């Protein structure tokens, strides 16, 4: 796990690459390296910051050059031992034990054909001195980031967007469409980038730059195709051995020459991984979080710590408990900076604080249960959308009456929130809508009219574009299974756009690598070979994963109510952050620039304060967007400006 950067036929390429590499120092504090070579009438330069995980010696240093090939690589290959053996059998002699060298030799032998054979998380640039070609590639599921900017025949790339924005002289412009998308989702979809002129290399794809200026692109893996293959397997009655596949993925994800620990929330996903990891690494450490008692009471949050302790005791895990009572006024601008783009999920703070505590204890690698909810239908929205189909069969007068009653109920008083009322209001906001619209509304922040009322009227067309993109992506499949259509939509949008993005950026801000065993190509193949009626059974989500975990975990853990890897937002917004919210609504740059409408924000604040609606998540994201936008348009943070 590292930071990578480079330039190809870019003005002052060495200076720019050196600046990029230095800007990524937190991603790789264990070493730095650079490389340069002529290309046509220009040069190529590659930079690297190393977080040493496998092969801690100098033979793992990067950029790695060997017989005319040069590689700068960020990630881990969990099938490196098998690839190494296969390559060695053909006569390849390895100098060290790093997976970097395995990747370099796999590229030499197979070129882009090696990409679908890689099992892991990766983003890399590989340069061929003989042809003068630079190829960039990104892993199948978008676990690792890769940003790039193209100008003329030149290109610059890096692991972080803020680094690119800083070295392009303030010439990158904030993309209003990305900000509208961010308001809708509370994150920026992987298909968009917060700055015009910059882009994210799509998951499962590669890009080749040639000395004559030509640029080729290719796709070596697509989730839509994997889901279609899974449907055929399911129709054939072939149900995968999920327990064996998850166990094998977890074992592979423990491959490391440094200590590995786990996130342990006490929920199913992290408990299952921790139990499996403890079998392989007895006494493994785990990290869990708790909240200030008054915050947890106000938020009506479940007591996850009790379950985490139970798992740790049963499997001999060394549990470290961290109380999340952060100075949010201090952490908010710091996290906004590290997250690169406006991401409004407070779970990023949890990840950063856990990884920081682990790093202080000497832990560089953490396993996370990220991805299981998306792949196995574990979110409340999945069950809620299924229930909505039944709700639509209830006579219309009864639905109208129920809606009127729920609408009058408060979501909170001065001393506590009412979680069930919040859920009911949320459910009724989408329960009667068509499938794609209902699914979008079940997890996004605003419906179409609310979003139009919030943003500059000149952005109305952009709102329509963003909504159309969601519909196009959701409907781009051949599945006849409603649950798996939702899972595919999540795996293509929600997972890379939010969860993998904040996990990478928050953990690397603490110089820590997070691995995600559920977000593994073999686990994903298995997930889409499971019919939807095996994922949601009755009112149980993730039913098939729970069956697999029940052979390892106590039933109390497997079938406990779903916890939340989140934060006590209502408590924070009503106490710590209330003055800041008022300042942003009245005098913020988003309102001052006309991007957001003051009257719409003021209505949200008033409704939230009165306890009629829960807008804490919306207002938290407005704060993150405000801080990001200030940095992006000031020239001091991200070095960019807005053009609508």
């Amino acid at each position: 796990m590292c930071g990578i950067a480079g330039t190809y036929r870019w003005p002052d390429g060495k200076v720019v690459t050196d600046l990029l590499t230095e800007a990524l120092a937190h991603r790789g504090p264990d070493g730095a390296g650079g490389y340069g070579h002529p290309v046509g009438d220009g040069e190529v330069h590659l930079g690297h910051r190393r977080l040493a995980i496998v092969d801690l010696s100098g033979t793992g240093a990067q950029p790695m050059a060997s017989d005319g090939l040069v590689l700068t690589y960020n990630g881990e290959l969990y099938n490196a031992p098998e690839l190494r053996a296969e390559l060695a059998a053909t006569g390849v002699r390895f100098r060290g034990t790093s997976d970097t060298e395995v990747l370099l030799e796999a590229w030499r032998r197979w070129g882009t054909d090696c990409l679908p054979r890689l099992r892991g998380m990766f983003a890399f640039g590989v340069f061929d001195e003989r042809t003068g070609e630079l190829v960039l590639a990104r892993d199948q599921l978008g676990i690792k980031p890769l940003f790039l900017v193209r100008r003329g025949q030149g290109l610059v790339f890096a692991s972080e967007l803020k680094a690119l924005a800083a070295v392009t002289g303030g010439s990158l412009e904030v993309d209003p469409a990305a900000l509208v998308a961010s308001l809708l989702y509370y994150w920026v979809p992987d298909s968009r980038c917060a700055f015009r002129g910059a882009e994210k290399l799509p998951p499962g794809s590669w890009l080749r730059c040639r000395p004559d200026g030509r640029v080729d692109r290719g796709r070596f893996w697509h989730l839509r195709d994997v889901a279609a293959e899974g449907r055929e397997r399911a129709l054939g009655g072939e149900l995968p051995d999920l327990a064996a596949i998850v166990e094998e993925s977890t074992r592979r994800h423990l491959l490391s020459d440094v200590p590995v620990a786990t996130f342990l929330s006490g929920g199913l996903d992290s408990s299952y991984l921790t139990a499996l990891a403890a079998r392989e690494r007895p006494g493994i450490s785990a990290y869990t979080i708790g909240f200030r008692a008054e915050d947890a009471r106000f938020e009506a949050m479940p007591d996850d710590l009790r379950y985490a302790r139970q798992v740790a005791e049963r499997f001999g895990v060394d549990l470290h408990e961290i109380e999340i009572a952060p100075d949010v006024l201090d952490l908010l601008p710091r996290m906004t900076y590290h997250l690169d783009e406006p991401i409004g999920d407070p779970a990023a703070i949890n990840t950063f604080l856990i990884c920081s505590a682990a790093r202080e204890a000497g832990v560089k690698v953490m396993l996370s249960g990220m991805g299981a909810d998306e792949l196995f239908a574990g979110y409340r929205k999945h069950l809620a959308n299924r229930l909505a189909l039944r709700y639509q069969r209830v006579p219309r007068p009864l639905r109208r009456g129920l809606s009127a009653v729920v609408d009058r109920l408060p979501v909170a008083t001065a001393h506590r929130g009412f979680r069930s009322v919040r859920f009911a209001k949320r459910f009724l906001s989408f329960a009667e809508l068509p499938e794609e619209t209902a699914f979008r509304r079940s997890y996004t922040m605003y419906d179409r009219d609310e979003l139009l009322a919030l943003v500059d009227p000149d952005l109305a067309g952009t709102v329509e574009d963003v909504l159309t993109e969601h519909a196009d992506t959701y409907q781009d499949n051949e599945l006849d299974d409603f649950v798996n259509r939702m899972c595919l939509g999540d795996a293509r949008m929600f997972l890379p756009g939010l969860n993998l993005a904040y996990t990478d950026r928050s953990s690397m801000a603490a110089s820590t690598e997070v691995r995600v065993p559920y977000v593994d190509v073999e686990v994903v193949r298995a997930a889409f070979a499971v019919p939807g009626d095996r994922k949601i059974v009755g009112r149980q989500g993730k039913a098939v994963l729970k069956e697999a975990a029940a052979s390892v975990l106590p039933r109390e853990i497997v079938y406990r109510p779903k916890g939340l890897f989140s934060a006590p937002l209502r408590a924070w917004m009503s106490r710590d952050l209330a003055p800041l919210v008022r300042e942003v609504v009245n005098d913020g740059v988003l309102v001052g620039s006309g991007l957001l409408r003051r009257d719409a924000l003021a209505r949200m604040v008033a409704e939230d304060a009165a306890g009629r609606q829960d807008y804490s998540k919306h207002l938290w994201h407005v704060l993150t967007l405000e801080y990001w936008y200030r940095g992006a348009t000031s020239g001091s943070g991200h070095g960019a400006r807005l053009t609508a």
Side-chain angles (χ1 to χ4, degrees):
M1 182 68 66
C2 308
I4 63 172
T7 56
Y8 187 83
R9 303 183 70 188
W10 191 269
D12 299 318
K14 183 180 188 310
V15 172
V16 169
T17 302
D18 288 347
L19 287 170
L20 286 169
T21 306
E22 182 58 32
L24 300 173
H26 54 280
R27 296 184 77 95
D30 297 334
Y35 163 87
H37 194 274
V39 177
D41 57 357
E43 297 176 330
V44 63
H45 290 276
L46 303 178
H48 191 266
R49 291 296 313 209
R50 186 182 188 196
L51 184 65
I53 304 293
V54 176
D55 188 354
L56 310 185
S57 73
T59 58
Q62 298 186 52
M64 183 176 285
S66 175
D67 295 330
L69 284 183
V70 189
L71 174 67
T72 183
Y73 154 64
N74 166 30
E76 303 289 354
L77 293 185
Y78 305 119
N79 63 338
E82 291 93 330
L83 292 173
R84 176 187 295 273
E86 184 177 351
L87 290 164
T90 67
V92 175
R93 299 185 63 140
F94 291 93
R95 294 173 298 150
T97 59
S98 72
D99 58 335
T100 306
E101 194 176 4
V102 172
L103 176 56
L104 188 66
E105 296 304 327
W107 187 268
R108 188 191 312 282
R109 182 167 182 81
W110 298 302
T112 54
D113 287 343
C114 82
L115 294 171
R117 304 179 61 157
L118 305 179
R119 185 174 177 183
M121 54 182 182
F122 55 85
F124 65 82
V126 60
F127 176 70
D128 190 326
E129 293 177 346
R130 288 159 293 196
T131 64
E133 296 175 355
L134 172 71
V135 179
L136 306 179
R138 188 175 177 208
D139 66 62
Q140 294 93 327
L141 291 148
I143 305 171
K144 290 291 99 189
L146 190 57
F147 296 92
L148 60 105
V149 173
R150 291 176 54 200
R151 283 193 195 146
Q153 297 184 348
L155 175 142
V156 57
F157 69 91
S159 296
E160 294 187 1
L161 182 59
K162 72 175 76 65
L164 289 183
V167 302
T168 48
S171 60
L172 292 184
E173 301 166 346
V174 174
D175 183 358
L179 297 196
V180 169
S182 169
L183 283 165
L184 175 69
Y185 295 109
Y186 63 95
W187 37 275
V188 178
D190 208 59
S191 58
R192 295 185 179 270
C193 197
F195 294 132
R196 278 180 177 159
E199 59 180 292
K200 301 162 185 169
L201 190 67
S205 72
W206 53 266
L207 179 150
R208 177 188 284 113
C209 298
R210 302 179 186 269
D212 62 5
R214 286 183 296 152
V215 174
D216 306 325
R217 291 175 179 266
R219 196 81 185 240
F220 65 90
W221 205 87
H222 203 302
L223 259 169
R224 180 192 59 217
D225 301 334
V226 172
E229 292 163 12
R231 173 182 175 272
E232 295 306 311
R233 288 171 62 189
L235 288 173
E238 178 190 348
L239 195 67
D241 184 349
L242 192 58
I245 293 168
V246 172
E247 184 175 350
E248 189 232 8
S249 178
T250 304
R251 185 172 62 250
R252 286 181 179 274
H253 280 71
L254 289 167
L255 184 69
S256 173
D257 293 332
V258 298
V260 179
T262 74
F263 288 88
L264 178 57
S265 68
L268 170 69
D269 310 330
S270 64
S271 297
Y272 191 17
L273 291 187
T274 299
L276 293 173
R279 285 178 166 181
E280 295 289 321
R281 300 272 183 98
I284 193 171
S285 293
Y287 288 78
T288 193
I289 55 172
F291 300 99
R292 290 179 299 196
E294 62 270 28
D295 290 348
R297 277 196 303 274
F298 185 90
E299 201 76 15
M301 300 184 86
D303 182 15
D304 290 335
L305 271 178
R306 175 167 69 90
Y307 296 101
R309 290 168 184 156
Q310 184 180 338
V311 171
E313 184 177 354
R314 184 181 183 101
F315 295 98
V317 172
D318 180 17
L319 184 63
H320 303 259
E321 299 179 12
I322 304 163
E323 182 176 271
I324 302 290
D327 182 348
V328 286
L329 286 169
D330 175 56
L331 268 178
L332 183 58
R334 285 179 63 197
M335 290 310 304
T336 304
Y337 170 79
H338 282 300
L339 287 172
D340 258 0
E341 295 182 289
I343 295 177
D345 193 334
I349 289 179
N350 301 354
T351 300
F352 174 71
L353 294 175
I354 287 177
C355 288
S356 297
R359 195 72 170 91
E360 287 175 13
V363 173
K364 286 185 181 181
V365 181
M366 303 279 290
L367 299 190
S368 164
M370 184 72 67
D373 284 315
E374 289 86 346
L375 295 168
F376 296 101
Y379 288 122
R380 291 187 181 91
K381 65 181 176 184
H382 299 130
L383 177 59
N385 275 278
R386 275 268 299 249
L387 292 175
L389 298 180
R390 296 185 198 170
Y391 180 75
Q392 290 169 12
R393 296 197 291 267
V394 173
R396 188 177 297 274
L398 284 177
R399 280 184 276 153
R400 235 186 255 119
L402 178 63
S403 183
V405 170
V406 171
D407 191 52
R408 289 194 294 269
L409 295 174
V411 297
T413 64
H415 303 291
R416 61 171 299 201
F418 302 121
R419 186 179 289 262
S420 58
V421 177
R422 296 207 302 272
F423 289 161
K425 285 178 183 277
R426 184 72 166 163
F427 176 76
L428 292 175
S429 72
F430 63 82
E432 300 185 52
L433 299 173
E435 180 183 320
E436 179 272 326
T437 312
F439 181 66
R440 167 171 54 79
R441 190 67 192 95
S442 70
Y443 74 96
T444 55
M445 305 285 274
Y446 306 95
D447 65 23
R448 176 181 174 276
D449 291 341
E450 288 169 339
L451 192 54
L452 286 169
L454 179 63
V455 302
D456 184 338
D458 290 344
L459 294 174
T462 304
V463 170
E464 300 300 338
D465 290 344
V466 169
L467 297 178
T468 298
E469 182 182 43
H470 184 282
D472 290 346
T473 303
Y474 182 83
Q475 292 162 355
D476 177 30
N477 67 78
E478 303 166 11
L479 304 180
D480 51 12
D481 182 322
F482 179 30
V483 172
N484 275 320
R485 285 197 295 272
M486 289 190 286
C487 289
L488 179 59
D490 272 346
R492 293 179 68 181
M493 292 183 281
F494 191 75
L495 188 56
L498 174 65
N499 284 339
L500 293 175
Y502 86 67
T503 297
D504 170 82
R505 299 169 200 179
S506 298
S507 62
M508 293 311 297
S511 304
T512 307
E513 172 177 301
V514 172
R515 299 177 176 181
V516 281
Y518 292 114
V519 191
D520 169 86
V521 288
E522 296 305 324
V523 176
V524 170
R525 284 194 180 101
F528 284 105
V530 175
D533 60 11
R534 293 293 302 276
K535 292 182 177 181
I536 299 180
V537 177
R539 297 204 170 190
Q540 284 282 348
K542 281 188 299 201
V544 69
L545 188 64
K546 289 175 180 177
E547 289 173 24
S551 63
V552 178
L553 291 171
R555 290 186 63 83
E556 183 185 2
I557 300 294
V558 173
Y559 293 102
R560 59 161 291 202
K562 181 171 175 56
L564 293 173
F565 186 67
S566 188
L569 270 189
R570 282 199 58 79
W572 289 359
M573 301 307 287
S574 63
R575 298 170 188 163
D576 309 64
L577 296 173
L580 184 58
V581 171
R582 288 193 294 272
E583 176 198 325
V584 167
V585 170
N586 292 319
D587 302 305
V589 293
L590 291 172
V591 168
S593 68
L595 184 68
L596 297 187
R597 299 195 206 181
R598 181 181 284 111
D599 57 343
L601 285 177
R603 274 197 302 274
M604 279 198 289
V605 171
E607 291 273 296
D608 188 81
R612 287 190 292 271
Q613 296 289 342
D614 179 15
Y615 286 123
S616 55
K617 198 171 186 178
H618 305 65
L619 295 172
W620 170 266
H621 182 51
V622 168
L623 294 184
T624 65
L625 185 58
E626 172 81 11
Y627 272 105
W628 183 88
Y629 188 74
R630 288 178 186 177
T633 55
S634 69
S636 59
H638 300 76
R641 63 179 185 271
L642 175 76
T643 59

